[in-house]
Amino acid sequence: MPIAIVVHGGAGKTPAGPLEAFQEGCKEAVRLGWRILEDGGSALDTVEAAVRALEDNPIYNAGTGASLTANGNIELDAGIMEGQTLRVGAVADVELIKHPISLARKVMESPHVLLVGKGAQEFAQEQGIALCKFEDLLTEQRHKQWKEKQAEVASKQEPRFHRYEVNPSPRSEEKHGTVGAVALDTAGILAAATSTGGTFNKYLGRVGDSPLVGCGFYADENAAVSCTGEGEDFIRLLIAKRAADFVGNGAHAREAAEKTIAVLGAKAHGTGGLILLDRQGNIGIAWNSQYMVHAYITSNQEMQEPTTGI
Ligand code: ASP
């Protein structure tokens, strides 16, 4: 049985730091996940562990280092899914959680599918997940980025339309850094996970595709998919489910990823990308933004070390 793992560290125009550091973080997450798969661990454990590692890495826009909302808050989104049973769990707009992906997994193991805001936070505490401090999630760089934005907003003369000045359009080219992983385990089961702080300077309460099943992540018996990009367009086009369906209808993993991104380009203006794995361990990676940081190992190619790309 083939095993494989693919991770991404976000897509966009300008990364919020040197691309090599983004690639290295993805490689580390892949190595961690690969060890779990080689030891016979589940795809679900693998994607959770890989995404937790990326959430802990402050250069990515997820967990520690997540970008700020227009009113200076950190509101996190994450989703996880297992392909064989279609078990799925997600959290949106949750605060003070170090590892939103693990909270999403707890939701998956409960009768719920998606919990948001205060309810998600209360559920975390019920599950024994301690709340962290705001400062534990905040990095100096993200704070600086936010302060610069506020100064820019304050210097503008135009009247405001909203209480909070948000990015004029979700299609802005602000720095990204959402993280995600897909894996195939020795039992032939696929899983997918995505975690993000959402778009920089987002309106409070705004939710993108990342915690929405079928939009920012999806897994079934044919494919596992994790997405990154301008979430509003990924939502309207159900990008993750669309990609899995291409595989279900016979497309090769690579073709499925490319066809889905072609639909994104043809039907919307948003940019971004996705990683995809099928049950044979074939990998599909496609994006129409300037870059999408990613790394993978698959037993199909007898690799010793992760391959990275941007
Ligand atoms: N898809 C994420 C969102 O819209 C952002 C990203 O992937 O960069 O919240």
Side-chain angles (χ1 to χ4, degrees):
M1 263 294 189
I3 54 172
I5 174 167
V6 191
V7 310
H8 71 76
K13 193 174 179 190
T14 339
L19 273 173
E20 300 71 41
F22 275 84
Q23 284 184 307
E24 197 41 55
C26 283
K27 269 185 172 172
E28 275 169 29
V30 162
R31 285 191 200 103
L32 177 74
W34 186 248
R35 282 197 295 275
I36 297 172
L37 291 172
E38 278 194 315
D39 289 348
S42 71
L44 206 51
D45 286 347
T46 303
V47 293
E48 184 187 353
V51 167
R52 275 180 75 99
L54 295 163
E55 287 175 339
D56 279 339
N57 189 328
I59 62 174
Y60 299 104
N61 173 20
T64 305
S67 58
L68 276 69
T69 63
N71 63 331
N73 206 4
I74 293 178
E75 297 176 353
L76 304 166
D77 302 333
I80 190 164
M81 185 164 191
E82 199 246 79
Q84 195 187 35
T85 57
L86 302 180
R87 284 182 302 156
V88 55
V91 290
D93 267 348
V94 69
E95 296 173 39
L96 309 181
I97 297 290
K98 269 255 179 210
H99 299 110
I101 201 63
S102 294
L103 182 55
R105 174 132 183 211
K106 292 279 188 204
V107 172
M108 189 200 85
E109 284 159 358
S110 80
H112 313 293
V113 163
L114 172 62
L115 290 178
V116 305
K118 291 278 173 260
Q121 217 180 59
E122 206 166 300
F123 176 79
Q125 288 173 289
E126 268 173 34
Q127 296 293 315
I129 298 178
L131 301 187
C132 64
K133 294 205 223 53
F134 177 73
E135 295 71 32
D136 296 337
L137 299 173
L138 184 68
T139 60
E140 217 170 282
Q141 200 212 358
R142 294 291 185 191
H143 194 213
K144 184 167 164 269
Q145 186 188 20
W146 180 78
K147 280 195 299 195
E148 283 168 5
K149 185 75 187 177
Q150 302 320 303
E152 185 193 313
V153 168
S155 69
K156 281 192 202 156
Q157 299 301 313
E158 308 112 53
R160 289 186 178 198
F161 293 102
H162 302 296
R163 189 162 149 233
Y164 301 108
E165 183 90 358
V166 293
N167 289 327
S169 143
R171 302 190 209 297
S172 75
E173 292 288 355
E174 299 290 352
K175 297 167 181 70
H176 298 279
T178 292
V179 304
V182 290
L184 172 69
D185 64 27
T186 48
I189 295 172
L190 291 153
T194 305
S195 181
T196 189
T199 47
F200 168 60
N201 213 41
K202 66 185 179 183
Y203 200 88
L204 71 161
R206 178 264 184 192
V207 176
D209 60 315
S210 309
L212 301 184
V213 60
C215 303
F217 70 105
Y218 193 72
D220 61 15
E221 74 278 25
N222 301 308
V225 185
S226 171
C227 305
T228 174
E230 288 155 25
E232 283 68 9
D233 285 337
F234 282 67
I235 294 171
R236 62 184 118 248
L237 291 168
L238 299 170
I239 288 293
K241 174 73 163 73
R242 199 178 276 267
D245 285 350
F246 277 130
V247 177
N249 291 327
H252 184 276
R254 193 175 50 247
E255 190 197 346
E258 282 165 5
K259 275 177 134 173
T260 309
I261 294 302
V263 173
L264 176 70
K267 295 206 181 262
H269 301 286
T271 60
L274 63 87
I275 55 174
L276 180 152
L277 251 186
D278 70 15
R279 57 185 306 167
Q280 283 79 42
N282 297 315
I283 292 171
I285 302 173
W287 67 96
N288 65 359
S289 42
Q290 288 204 356
Y291 74 90
M292 181 175 75
V293 192
H294 58 273
Y296 62 89
I297 304 189
T298 167
S299 58
N300 284 355
Q301 293 174 25
E302 288 186 17
M303 301 162 64
Q304 303 302 322
E305 266 296 291
T307 293
T308 54
I310 45 170

